[in-house]
Amino acid sequence: MAKELERDLGLPSVLAISIGAMVGSGIFILPALAMKMAGPAVVLAYLLAGVLVLPSALSKAEMATAMPEAGGTYVYIERGMGPLLGTIAGIGTWFSLSFKGALALVGGAPYIVLLFDVPPQMLALGIAGVLIGVNLLGVKQTGRIQVALVGVMLAAMGWFVGGSLGDVDPVRFDGFFEGGLGGLLAATGFVYVSYAGVTKVASVAEEIEHPDRNIPLGLLGSLAFTTLLYVLVVTVIVGAAPTANLAGSSTPVADVAGGTLVQWGVLVIVVAAILALVSTANAGLLSASRYPFAMSRDKLVPDALKHVSDRFDTPTTAITLTGGVMLAMIAFVPIDDIAKLGSAFKILVFILVNLALVAFRESDLDDYDPAFRDPLYPWTQGVGVLGGLVLLSQMGLVPLVEALVITGSGALWYGAYARRRVEREGVMQGELRRRVGAQAAERTRMTFDTSSTAGHVVVGVTEDLRPDRETALVEMGAALAEALDGRLTVVRFDAVPDQLPLKSAAEIQSPDDVDFETRMDRFRTSFDGPFEYGEVVSHDVRHAVANFARHHEVNLLVLERILADERSWLNERDLDWISRHCASDLVLVEPTPLTVLDRIALVTDSGPFDPRKVELANGLASAAGARLVLVHAVPAEATEDQRATIRTYHDDLMELCTVSVGSMIVDEEAPDAVARAVSTADLIVVESDENWWARLLDRREPQRIAEAFGGPAIVVRPQQAGGPGLVRRVLERLAL
């Protein structure tokens, strides 16, 4: 049995981890840098950032009580949105937390230099080494140290605020919105990373006592407290600044304390800053190391990262790897863009967190039973997503590009390593798949229900068509007309030379014309429905066919299917032109006597079956007394959930059909898999869509499927205006 992590983090430790992860660079370094963007409105920027983080905190609080597992953000996004986005979120958040933890130590260098003349980088590396050792010894020791660090730091910050509020000068707030709305939003996005630690609690949820109570209290309590603390501290920094050009200072809290507190007060504040930054680094290491641990258990990264120490019950390999990354960052990574990078990626991840909660709520999963539920769902999540998108638009190109690089790297890792090792899919993907399948079946049901009042089938023939093939073609057209409960018209299109007047040609009745009329009169006696026939002479057959279909409100135009080794009165280019210039559905039929049909196969490898194709195949099978077989080609890597959705979709179609129906799901990558699946069929029915985007989505052309089959085939070209659009076609293609 796999080892599990011990639950020994109480509410004080939960609050300490969350507050300690937030109160670091966000309060000791970033305020002065954000002032360059928003001016005095930086106070409002911190408040707005806290409000926009609240939806993610509520979403995470709910999901954490339903899934109190190590991994936090990764777990919720992976379960809700699927392993691809879970991999991206897991790797990206792991890097982001490691990055932030390392740079918290590097960012403390200016404060350390105020007290000691030592190489700041060496000191940062030394502190990082100590923290790695502490985390390896156990989470209980980590939690206790975190409580102590946060307690000392908060006491110092309370003294700083209390001792400095009296020195706040309202003049410092003149021109409050000097940076404009753009400056305010840019600053809000810039300091957003200051609140990222509020959800770090979820990453150690598997180690929290009474998670149904302590997780929501820890998340929401720490966010409310930290937001108030940030607003008060930044108000003091802006209002009690010793000079008007404090913006850009690397030690803004110490600069203000030097003018508002007693002489040794600066020492206390500097010590508090160092403790806060160490606390941030410690919380970052603690939570970041749980991401590779959780991902390894889900087979998204190598198994070695899920190793738990027998002695200390800690994920030692994951901690060691994360610590190594932090050490490398301290040694080599500059501090300049860390806030923007961290904020940009955190905003992206928090958008996914809110969407993941929507996926869980809308899926109605039986095993999703959180002890805490967001009372304002879904409005909370809507605000979180829209607010995040607005902030991203204001952060500039560089952080967005860097976040996209991390995203792309996560996607490449998933494609190269993890994709072959996982077969599950996210709740949202599964729910979307089920809904798309149900909607596709419903669209077919509506086609069956509404076609009975609009069935006008026209069979087009030519004088060159052999009588036996003409009879077979007309019989198949009659079966399709019966399926539509409509009327049948047979039209013989005769082409005459350009130099012969059409009026003269129409007045001449050849022996072939007489034979055609005799055959149609004989057929009239066997067809149980409205029937008429006629002849059309023209110089241009394809124009004549399209015009007839357009002027006579034809719903279904049946023409002879072109074979590669036979001459035809219309070539492929003519048929393409007709399908673009008439509103009726086009069916290309290889004339086959109904008496020889015992098994008809409907084939698709590009999403669901077109509703008209199902209806027509059902009509043919009914007229011939044949059995239908639904043949669905899917990628070899299709998940079991995807195959189950297709089976459910097939079951829905079976209920609509009036004949016996079978079902087959084949792997498209297998050589000639589709051809083998339909080898026992007497006739196959395939679909061709002439939209350019449909051809890009479809893996094979119907002509190739028909050629691989080698027997009689029908190609259905549905009415373009009546089919699904590009977005729905993509969704259906991915789902089915």
Side-chain angles (χ1 to χ4, degrees):
M1 183 178 70
K3 297 197 64 170
E4 297 182 354
L5 304 179
E6 184 180 356
R7 292 190 182 277
D8 54 11
L9 291 178
L11 182 59
S13 294
V14 172
L15 289 168
I17 289 173
S18 184
I19 294 172
M22 287 188 283
V23 183
S25 58
I27 199 170
F28 289 103
I29 300 173
L30 299 185
L33 300 177
M35 285 176 64
K36 294 192 296 184
M37 304 176 187
V42 66
V43 177
L44 185 58
Y46 271 90
L47 177 61
L48 181 58
V51 171
L52 292 179
V53 168
L54 179 60
S56 301
L58 288 168
S59 295
K60 269 202 171 183
E62 176 175 327
M63 291 185 289
T65 60
M67 297 168 286
E69 304 176 29
T73 300
Y74 153 73
V75 170
Y76 313 140
I77 294 177
E78 198 274 345
R79 302 294 189 270
M81 309 289 284
L84 170 58
L85 290 178
T87 301
I88 293 172
I91 292 177
T93 306
W94 175 60
F95 270 112
S96 180
L97 292 176
S98 302
F99 212 50
K100 188 172 183 287
L103 290 174
L105 297 177
V106 175
Y111 286 93
I112 298 174
V113 170
L114 293 176
L115 298 180
F116 307 103
D117 186 13
V118 295
Q121 188 180 65
M122 294 302 298
L123 184 57
L125 289 170
I127 296 174
V130 172
L131 294 179
I132 294 171
V134 170
N135 275 267
L136 289 172
L137 293 177
V139 70
K140 182 178 294 186
Q141 290 76 6
T142 303
R144 289 171 179 171
I145 291 176
Q146 194 72 7
V147 171
L149 290 175
V150 172
V152 173
M153 182 267 299
L154 291 181
M157 295 313 300
W159 181 36
F160 170 74
V161 172
S164 303
L165 277 176
D167 294 299
V168 172
D169 186 355
V171 175
R172 298 292 190 198
F173 294 92
D174 289 346
F176 189 78
F177 286 107
E178 63 184 25
L181 179 61
L184 173 63
L185 293 177
T188 301
F190 181 77
V191 303
Y192 192 91
V193 71
S194 304
Y195 293 94
V198 69
T199 59
K200 286 184 182 178
V201 171
S203 65
V204 291
E206 194 170 336
E207 299 155 85
I208 295 177
E209 297 175 339
H210 310 297
D212 56 335
R213 170 182 174 271
N214 289 339
I215 289 176
L217 285 178
L219 287 172
L220 302 180
S222 60
L223 177 61
F225 176 84
T226 305
T227 301
L228 177 61
L229 179 63
Y230 277 161
V231 170
L232 290 175
V233 171
V234 177
T235 299
V236 169
I237 290 176
V238 175
T243 61
N245 60 351
L246 184 66
S249 171
S250 57
T251 56
V253 179
D255 293 343
V256 173
T260 60
L261 302 181
V262 295
Q263 185 174 2
W264 53 273
V266 177
L267 175 62
V268 175
I269 296 303
V270 169
V271 172
I274 295 173
L275 291 177
L277 295 169
V278 171
S279 172
T280 298
N282 183 56
L285 175 59
L286 173 65
S287 57
S289 61
R290 270 52 178 181
Y291 283 85
F293 173 77
M295 294 174 68
S296 178
R297 295 198 301 192
D298 288 336
K299 300 181 180 180
L300 297 180
V301 295
D303 291 342
L305 291 171
K306 68 180 178 182
H307 172 72
V308 176
S309 169
D310 293 330
R311 181 177 179 183
F312 301 112
D313 289 326
T314 55
T316 51
T317 306
I319 291 174
T320 302
L321 176 63
T322 304
V325 172
M326 287 182 61
L327 291 172
M329 290 178 177
I330 291 172
F332 303 110
V333 178
I335 194 174
D336 297 347
D337 294 329
I338 179 56
K340 286 186 177 182
L341 174 61
S343 288
F345 196 82
K346 279 299 179 183
I347 292 171
L348 286 172
V349 169
F350 281 0
I351 288 174
L352 293 178
V353 165
N354 286 298
L355 292 176
L357 179 65
V358 174
F360 283 114
R361 283 287 193 101
E362 296 301 317
S363 64
D364 295 326
L365 291 177
D366 294 335
D367 56 352
Y368 181 71
D369 186 24
F372 168 80
R373 287 182 177 267
D374 179 7
L376 299 178
Y377 173 88
W379 304 108
T380 306
Q381 288 65 41
V383 171
V385 172
L386 292 177
L389 293 175
V390 170
L391 292 184
L392 280 175
S393 68
Q394 301 297 315
M395 295 194 65
L397 181 62
V398 172
L400 285 180
V401 170
E402 292 174 335
L404 289 176
V405 168
I406 296 178
T407 301
S409 300
L412 289 176
W413 173 266
Y414 175 79
Y417 177 85
R419 184 179 180 182
R420 302 187 303 273
R421 291 170 169 80
V422 295
E423 297 181 355
R424 62 189 177 278
E425 60 185 19
V427 170
M428 178 173 288
Q429 186 177 359
E431 182 64 20
L432 178 62
R433 190 187 308 285
R434 287 188 290 273
R435 293 191 180 190
V436 168
Q439 290 171 2
E442 179 61 26
R443 194 166 68 247
T444 305
R445 180 177 291 106
M446 293 177 61
T447 299
F448 271 67
D449 292 341
T450 60
S451 63
S452 61
T453 59
H456 183 198
V457 177
V458 170
V459 177
V461 299
T462 179
E463 59 185 352
D464 295 332
L465 190 62
R466 296 199 319 261
D468 60 327
R469 291 179 66 84
E470 176 191 85
T471 299
L473 186 63
V474 173
E475 286 180 348
M476 298 183 82
L480 299 178
E482 289 181 1
L484 300 180
D485 195 18
R487 57 195 175 99
L488 173 66
T489 301
V490 180
V491 180
R492 190 164 81 163
F493 295 93
D494 294 336
V496 298
D498 292 340
Q499 62 271 22
L500 181 64
L502 292 179
K503 183 177 181 180
S504 300
E507 294 174 349
I508 299 174
Q509 190 172 39
S510 66
D512 286 340
D513 295 336
V514 174
D515 291 342
F516 169 74
E517 293 175 359
T518 301
R519 289 191 297 272
M520 292 303 101
D521 286 335
R522 189 164 50 245
F523 181 81
R524 187 196 303 271
T525 62
S526 63
F527 180 70
D528 186 17
F531 174 75
E532 58 183 344
Y533 64 89
E535 298 172 72
V536 173
V537 294
S538 68
H539 296 304
D540 189 332
V541 174
R542 70 177 187 179
H543 278 82
V545 173
N547 289 337
F548 187 92
R550 185 167 54 249
H551 295 153
H552 291 78
E553 298 181 350
V554 175
N555 300 102
L556 193 67
L557 178 60
V558 181
L559 301 175
E560 181 188 17
R561 175 174 170 257
I562 298 172
L563 299 179
D565 58 348
E566 294 184 9
R567 289 188 58 188
S568 177
W569 56 294
L570 291 174
N571 58 38
E572 187 70 29
R573 184 176 300 177
D574 293 329
L575 294 174
D576 290 341
W577 188 92
I578 292 173
S579 67
R580 291 194 303 269
H581 289 82
C582 69
S584 59
D585 292 336
L586 180 61
V587 179
L588 306 180
V589 177
E590 184 177 346
T592 305
L594 295 179
T595 55
V596 305
L597 299 182
D598 183 60
R599 184 182 176 94
I600 299 175
L602 278 75
V603 184
T604 181
D605 67 343
S606 57
F609 299 98
D610 180 79
R612 178 53 60 90
K613 182 170 68 172
V614 178
E615 182 184 35
L616 299 181
N618 178 70
L620 278 177
S622 178
R627 172 180 171 83
L628 282 183
V629 180
L630 308 177
V631 180
H632 212 125
V634 298
E637 67 272 13
T639 64
E640 180 54 36
D641 287 340
Q642 182 175 355
R643 296 172 188 268
T645 301
I646 294 174
R647 286 192 288 268
T648 301
Y649 167 63
H650 285 191
D651 290 342
D652 292 338
L653 297 185
M654 291 178 187
E655 294 180 1
L656 295 175
C657 294
T658 59
V659 298
S660 175
V661 183
S663 173
M664 297 181 67
I665 301 176
V666 299
D667 292 338
E668 63 177 7
E669 277 81 3
D672 298 325
V674 175
R676 291 201 306 272
V678 300
S679 60
T680 59
D682 303 303
L683 176 74
I684 67 170
V685 183
V686 296
E687 174 191 346
S688 174
D689 195 326
E690 296 308 305
N691 285 314
W692 63 268
W693 47 263
R695 289 190 171 185
L696 288 177
L697 293 174
D698 292 349
R699 286 183 293 272
R700 302 185 184 182
E701 294 182 2
Q703 192 76 14
R704 291 182 57 194
I705 297 177
E707 290 174 358
F709 170 58
I714 293 178
V715 178
V716 180
R717 293 186 177 182
Q719 179 181 350
Q720 297 161 356
L726 174 58
V727 175
R728 177 162 293 279
R729 185 64 178 268
V730 171
L731 290 176
E732 292 181 345
R733 182 67 187 79
L734 294 174
L736 301 175

